[in-house]
Amino acid sequence: MARAGISWDCPPDEWVKINNDGAVVGRLNLATIGGVLRNNVGAWIFYFSRGIGYCSVLLAELWTVHNALLYA
């Protein structure tokens, strides 16, 4: 069941869509990243999730984009 105001739109035929995010927790700046690649009908092609150590929020987001593009 989808929450109000939250939705996901499929990409055009023969395209994939990447949804990703990075997060940093607490004063220690411990970071994790994750993402999912889906096809034009919403089926998962690949997903990833991993800890990347200690860094800033900006660096975590950049690592997420970097990993998503490598997997694409």
Side-chain angles (χ1 to χ4, degrees), residues 19-65:
N19 296 100
N20 55 11
D21 196 19
V24 176
V25 178
R27 292 184 201 170
L28 296 177
N29 293 337
L30 189 57
T32 59
I33 62 173
V36 60
L37 280 74
R38 294 190 249 184
N39 65 14
N40 63 309
V41 294
W44 288 29
I45 298 171
F46 185 81
Y47 65 92
F48 65 95
S49 169
R50 69 183 193 133
I52 58 171
Y54 304 96
C55 67
S56 67
V57 174
L58 177 59
L59 227 76
E61 294 292 342
L62 291 173
W63 271 111
T64 304
V65 171

